Amino acid sequence: MRKGEEVYKRRELKKAYADWLQQQHFTIFATIKFIDGSEVNETEATKRLRFFFNKLDRKVKTHKEVKKGKRLKRHVYIEKGRSRQNIHAHFFTKGSTLKETKSIIYNAQHIWQTVDNASDIEVSLIDYEKGIVGYCTKELDTIDTDILLTDCTH
């Protein structure tokens, strides 16, 4: 594939990602950082993130619902930062009610602090005017780059 074709396909893929993500009507966006982000590998980061999301699901949903496979709808992206050396994650999610949305925001901040080597978590409501849905495609360096963390996405 020629360079021009690659650039065009990557641009189209980024647009498709953003369009599809916007159609999901997520209401919450979060950034999760690790203390050892420059030292942790993707396998360990994924393990910590699975632990976090399992606890979050069980806190916001009931244990019974989680056992039946009902989890928070979310998309989780793992990134390496500008230097490609600092692993961190972003996620989009939504509550099915205002109460659940508030519970997600509150509990995500508290649960993240219980994870090994957790650093900061920044959770906010999505302002679609700011184009946040395209934010997680910035590290889509090639059309083969894997940015969606399917282990944690539901």
Side-chain angles (χ1 to χ4, degrees):
M1 184 181 309
R2 292 183 303 191
K3 187 174 182 173
E5 285 179 63
E6 170 79 17
V7 170
Y8 174 75
K9 286 187 179 208
R10 191 173 66 232
R11 189 178 307 130
E12 290 297 305
L13 184 59
K14 284 182 176 187
K15 184 181 179 328
Y17 250 120
D19 290 348
W20 187 76
L21 199 53
Q22 189 162 5
Q23 292 170 6
Q24 306 313 305
H25 303 289
F26 288 118
T27 56
I28 299 170
F29 175 75
T31 299
I32 301 174
K33 296 178 183 173
F34 300 99
I35 289 173
D36 58 348
S38 59
E39 297 169 14
V40 70
N41 61 40
E42 277 191 56
T43 302
E44 182 61 28
T46 300
K47 182 179 169 186
R48 294 177 194 175
L49 290 166
R50 278 197 321 257
F51 174 79
F52 166 72
F53 285 114
N54 281 330
K55 282 186 84 168
L56 184 61
D57 284 337
R58 282 181 170 80
K59 193 70 174 175
V60 175
K61 300 283 189 184
T62 65
H63 183 74
K64 190 175 180 179
E65 286 177 306
V66 173
K67 286 282 245 188
K68 289 183 178 179
K70 293 183 180 180
R71 295 182 175 267
L72 295 172
K73 292 177 181 158
R74 64 176 167 264
H75 286 207
V76 183
Y77 297 88
I78 194 153
E79 294 187 349
K80 297 178 182 176
R82 191 174 289 151
S83 67
R84 301 300 190 256
Q85 300 291 319
N86 185 25
I87 290 184
H88 60 281
H90 301 287
F91 70 90
F92 291 90
T93 190
K94 62 182 170 184
S96 55
T97 64
L98 179 59
K99 182 179 178 181
E100 191 172 87
T101 299
K102 288 179 179 182
S103 180
I104 293 167
I105 293 168
Y106 175 81
N107 285 300
Q109 294 169 347
H110 292 281
I111 292 169
W112 181 244
Q113 300 312 314
T114 69
V115 176
D116 287 344
N117 292 309
S119 180
D120 300 332
I121 183 169
E122 198 173 306
V123 185
S124 58
L125 294 174
I126 293 176
D127 179 359
Y128 281 101
E129 300 301 313
K130 301 215 176 180
I132 196 71
V133 293
Y135 184 74
C136 291
T137 63
K138 66 187 178 300
E139 289 189 21
L140 195 63
D141 298 329
T142 70
I143 59 171
D144 297 326
T145 304
D146 230 356
I147 55 175
L148 185 66
L149 186 59
T150 55
D151 283 10
C152 298
T153 297
H154 288 278

